[in-house]
Amino acid sequence: MAGAGLVVVVTGASRGIGYSIGRELAVRMPGASLYLTTREAQNIQALEATLRRDIGVSSGNVKFRMMDLKDKRSIAKFVDVVKRKHNRLDILVNNAAVYHKPPSSVHQACETLPLYSKEVEEIIKTNYLGLRAVTESFIPCLAQNSRIINISSHLAQLAMFNTSDVASAKLAHSFSNPKLSIAMLDSLVKSYLASIKSGNWSSAGWPDCAYSVSKLAVNSYTRILQAQLTNSHPKLFVSVNAVCPGTHHSKMRQAREDTISTQDSADMISYLATMRLEGVGDCSVPQTAVPRGEVLWHDLSCTRSSARDSDQGVQSAQ
């Protein structure tokens, strides 16, 4: 059976693109053990029933589990369950995220600073710090040819920085620095949180949208982690990529013509997740053509914020 013996985790899979990715992978890999996470423990039975209605017997090896990325104990408990049962992980799709609409102006944000600060902290804790905690907890049990896909956003572009402003230009340079380390990235994120709490984020060069900052941090982390794993586990051939799903978000202002359907996005992300997995994915793609450490659009073309020279382009596997 396709995917037999493989282990897959998709976070934030109770609805939207996360649920669609989990559903698609379950259909493609009926022999694999799939874990789909949700923050709401009380929804698990209903989610499993919905999945059974959607895909029938293909849902047999799928389990919904509770995990809150803001809670380290919740993360540790979930990761421990997977490790004790399987002691391996083949595919990790980090989709769980929080979005709060940014203020319409700096003045409005300053008027409601305690609330704005709380929302920003939740976004960073979930989208960046929580994602990192889950990923790094699973690194010791990554299997041969495993892959990590971090769901990014079209909002996470360096263009959000105003390069005509000295402070903002400096931040853009820091995020695009090829020598950026995790410690340096953490320092950037901490300085952002501090600027929010003090109310001077705008003069410090930061944008108003915390979601954009969190996803830009995820993009940077993706590139750094790929380099680290390539150096520390060269024989595992782990691939780490970030993907902008291209789907419509109900809380974001997007033109419909600029988006694709949730199912089309899930198909492409599942294609990337299963690439070169024997008996499951497209094995015609040469090993050297598999994207690694890239930030990709939903069609698997490379974004301009990729660590590689955007003028040279990146060979994408399609």
Side-chain angles (χ1 to χ4, degrees):
M1 191 177 291
L6 302 182
V7 181
V8 179
V9 169
V10 181
T11 71
S14 62
R15 61 183 182 272
I17 187 61
Y19 177 82
S20 295
I21 293 169
R23 180 180 60 195
E24 181 62 28
L25 288 173
V27 171
R28 294 184 184 216
M29 309 170 67
S33 296
L34 270 75
Y35 293 87
L36 310 182
T37 77
T38 174
R39 283 183 298 173
E40 307 295 338
Q42 66 270 24
N43 292 343
I44 288 177
Q45 286 187 337
L47 287 168
E48 291 180 339
T50 298
L51 191 64
R52 282 195 299 271
R53 288 195 299 269
D54 282 353
I55 61 176
V57 295
S58 295
S59 67
N61 287 334
V62 181
K63 294 180 175 64
F64 279 89
R65 290 288 183 266
M66 185 270 176
M67 181 173 66
D68 185 347
L69 294 192
K70 301 188 302 298
D71 185 344
K72 291 182 179 180
R73 289 177 296 180
S74 175
I75 294 172
K77 183 178 179 179
F78 170 71
V79 172
D80 186 58
V81 167
V82 178
K83 282 183 175 180
R84 282 191 290 107
K85 188 170 181 63
H86 306 282
N87 196 32
R88 69 176 290 151
L89 182 64
D90 297 273
I91 298 173
L92 171 62
V93 180
N94 283 311
N95 173 68
V98 171
Y99 174 85
H100 291 294
K101 187 177 180 180
S104 58
S105 67
V106 173
H107 176 71
Q108 182 193 30
C110 289
E111 283 186 335
T112 58
L113 189 58
L115 175 62
Y116 180 51
S117 179
K118 183 178 179 181
E119 289 178 345
V120 170
E121 186 175 2
E122 182 186 17
I123 289 170
I124 296 297
K125 278 187 174 181
T126 304
N127 302 4
Y128 171 61
L129 297 175
L131 178 148
R132 262 192 60 196
V134 171
T135 303
E136 291 170 11
S137 295
F138 274 123
I139 286 176
C141 63
L142 288 177
Q144 182 82 20
N145 201 28
S146 55
R147 57 282 320 271
I148 299 168
I149 296 177
N150 299 321
I151 302 302
S152 185
S153 171
H154 67 287
L155 297 175
Q157 303 299 313
L158 291 173
M160 68 183 178
F161 292 110
N162 177 14
T163 52
S164 63
D165 175 78
V166 175
S168 194
K170 185 177 179 181
L171 289 172
H173 176 74
S174 296
F175 275 103
S176 59
N177 181 0
K179 295 183 179 180
L180 184 68
S181 65
I182 288 181
M184 293 163 66
L185 178 58
D186 282 349
S187 179
L188 281 170
V189 172
K190 286 178 182 177
S191 70
Y192 169 63
L193 289 173
S195 73
I196 293 292
K197 290 179 179 179
S198 62
N200 70 341
W201 72 91
S202 185
S203 60
W206 293 100
D208 294 337
C209 183
Y211 185 82
S212 296
V213 175
S214 72
K215 289 298 187 177
L216 185 62
V218 167
N219 291 351
S220 297
Y221 175 64
T222 297
R223 296 189 286 262
I224 297 168
L225 181 61
Q226 180 67 77
Q228 287 187 344
L229 291 176
T230 299
N231 290 331
S232 62
H233 301 77
K235 295 181 180 179
L236 281 184
F237 296 105
V238 179
S239 63
V240 187
N241 293 290
V243 180
C244 304
T247 53
H248 177 73
H249 194 295
S250 60
K251 295 181 180 179
M252 297 180 188
R253 190 175 297 175
Q254 297 167 278
R256 284 286 182 180
E257 59 269 23
D258 293 335
T259 63
I260 63 172
S261 71
T262 301
Q263 185 55 54
D264 285 345
S265 181
D267 284 343
M268 187 58 75
I269 292 169
S270 297
Y271 172 80
L272 177 64
T274 58
M275 190 181 291
R276 289 195 61 81
L277 281 185
E278 192 170 348
V280 178
D282 184 358
C283 292
S284 67
V285 180
Q287 186 76 263
T288 54
V290 175
R292 284 190 169 85
E294 304 292 0
V295 181
L296 306 167
W297 293 118
H298 56 79
D299 62 357
L300 301 191
S301 62
C302 195
T303 71
R304 293 188 64 185
S305 62
S306 171
R308 297 184 186 181
D309 189 340
S310 60
D311 293 332
Q312 293 177 358
V314 174
Q315 182 180 8
S316 63
Q318 297 186 61

